[in-house]
Amino acid sequence: HVLPAAPRDALEGALGRGGGDAAAAGERSDRVVLVKNLPGGGAVTAEDLGTLFDGAEEILLPPSRTVALVRFLHAADAKKAFRRLAYRRFKHVPLYLEWPPEAAVC
């Protein structure tokens, strides 16, 4: 899915764009992976990420296509994907993965 601008802005606000303490974000999700550092220029599609994150229930990709949220049905699948793909090169850039705050993805 490609997110329209309004939900993208809400997502970026909930993820703490503009600073803030990571501890203040509260509990982290165990079923959603925040994917950062995607190559710019619209080179990434949800299908591309679907092949990387096998077993993902949902992939949310904002219009900027530089970050994405990947939701898994089971926490074990998310953990396995996180370990397998963290810092892996994807289209010439390393993927930076993070467990987003639960409040941002509920």
Side-chain angles (χ1 to χ4, degrees), residues 23-93:
E27 210 168 302
R28 298 291 177 150
S29 173
D30 63 350
R31 295 186 321 112
V32 178
V33 177
L34 173 62
V35 184
K36 302 186 291 185
N37 199 41
L38 293 172
V44 178
T45 65
E47 292 79 21
D48 292 337
L49 294 176
T51 59
L52 276 180
F53 292 91
D54 188 37
E57 178 183 19
E58 181 178 30
I59 297 173
L60 300 173
L61 192 62
S64 69
R65 297 177 188 264
T66 57
V67 297
L69 285 175
V70 181
R71 184 183 313 270
F72 290 86
L73 191 57
H74 303 287
D77 294 336
K79 191 173 187 176
K80 187 186 328 178
F82 192 99
R83 286 183 176 165
R84 184 172 50 89
L85 296 171
Y87 302 106
R88 178 179 174 198
R89 286 209 174 274
F90 174 69
K91 296 192 177 190
H92 76 277
V93 297

